[in-house]
Amino acid sequence: MRKLIVFLIVLVILLVAVDRVAVAGVERDLANRIAATADLSGTPTVTIEGIPFLTQAVSGHYPEVRFNLGTFTYGDVPVKNLRGAAYDVTAPLADIIQNRPDIRAGRVTVSGTLTRATIDKYAPQGVKIGGNGRRLTASGEVTLGANKVRFNAEMRVVLADGGIKIQAEKIEGVPDQVAQLVSYTIPFQGKLPFDVRVTGVKSVAEGLEFSAEASDVPIRG
């Protein structure tokens, strides 16, 4: 009985070791494929969610694969902490071993951050952007005709054609024209990894965080 228990313990340890070695190999392969698909200069960090891994590998189906792409330039705008997840990934083990291109994700989501420095860079002259992480604010002094007008405003962030628009929503005690002088657009267009489409943007402590997604995405090597 004691020998059986020892054997079972050793077997479990071996299976766990094989599972971890196998997942590391597939994560490395997927990282290379994602780098090629997204046209990255470096290799992203990839994590296959779920334990045990071997059952996923045998079935060729991975419910969730997370990745971190680091810093990425979208058009002329730097994006920090670009990360995401691929869901319902179909990757037959034979295709991975033989480096076949037939690997797809049912859905891919991506998010990234535009820093405070980027937000300030595109702000009109005399406009200083602040905020508490949940909402952006603006303050400063702008020229209206021959006069200098000081203002404080709450800002609203919305998606617009060709960019992210930051517009004055609450600005009181000054002429209406000041709201137009304070509002501006950050150009945000180009090609994101996996051809995802930007679907939302919100204010966070680090700046502005956008979200994007795509369906039926090929992950080619």
Side-chain angles (χ1 to χ4, degrees):
M1 184 66 178
R2 183 177 179 182
K3 290 183 178 180
L4 177 60
I5 293 175
V6 171
F7 170 76
L8 291 175
I9 292 174
V10 172
L11 180 61
V12 169
I13 293 173
L14 287 175
L15 287 174
V16 171
V18 170
D19 187 88
R20 293 301 88 194
V21 170
V23 72
V26 174
E27 285 176 346
R28 185 165 53 250
D29 180 85
L30 289 176
N32 291 332
R33 289 174 181 269
I34 289 173
T37 301
D39 194 24
L40 302 176
S41 57
T43 303
T45 301
V46 171
T47 303
I48 296 175
E49 300 292 339
I51 296 176
F53 162 77
L54 288 176
T55 56
Q56 299 182 67
V58 171
S59 68
H61 178 257
Y62 304 86
E64 183 177 352
V65 177
R66 295 199 164 272
F67 51 85
N68 192 323
L69 307 180
T71 299
F72 186 87
T73 300
Y74 183 52
D76 293 325
V77 178
V79 176
K80 300 289 186 180
N81 194 23
L82 188 64
R83 62 207 181 277
Y87 299 97
D88 295 327
V89 177
T90 302
L93 190 57
D95 289 349
I96 293 178
I97 294 174
Q98 299 180 33
N99 198 30
R100 294 172 183 164
D102 190 22
I103 292 179
R104 305 187 76 86
R107 183 169 66 97
V108 171
T109 62
V110 172
S111 62
T113 303
L114 278 63
T115 65
R116 293 280 183 179
T118 297
I119 298 171
D120 286 338
K121 174 184 176 181
Y122 290 95
Q125 186 175 0
V127 176
K128 178 63 177 177
I129 300 297
N132 57 11
R134 295 187 301 274
R135 193 172 187 86
L136 291 181
T137 60
S139 61
E141 185 178 79
V142 295
T143 301
L144 184 61
N147 300 316
K148 297 285 187 179
V149 179
R150 297 197 62 81
F151 70 92
N152 288 284
E154 290 188 8
M155 309 297 282
R156 185 161 67 102
V157 182
V158 295
L159 291 177
D161 289 339
I164 295 174
K165 188 171 184 179
I166 301 176
Q167 60 186 36
E169 186 174 43
K170 292 183 179 180
I171 180 168
E172 299 177 354
V174 296
D176 293 339
Q177 298 96 311
V178 173
Q180 297 178 7
L181 296 175
V182 172
S183 302
Y184 65 102
T185 299
I186 299 174
F188 202 60
Q189 54 187 344
K191 184 178 180 181
L192 280 169
F194 310 107
D195 290 330
V196 293
R197 183 175 63 86
V198 178
T199 56
V201 61
K202 64 180 180 180
S203 177
V204 295
E206 297 80 10
L208 293 176
E209 182 180 273
F210 72 87
S211 54
E213 66 176 73
S215 300
D216 191 23
V217 179
I219 304 176
R220 299 184 176 91

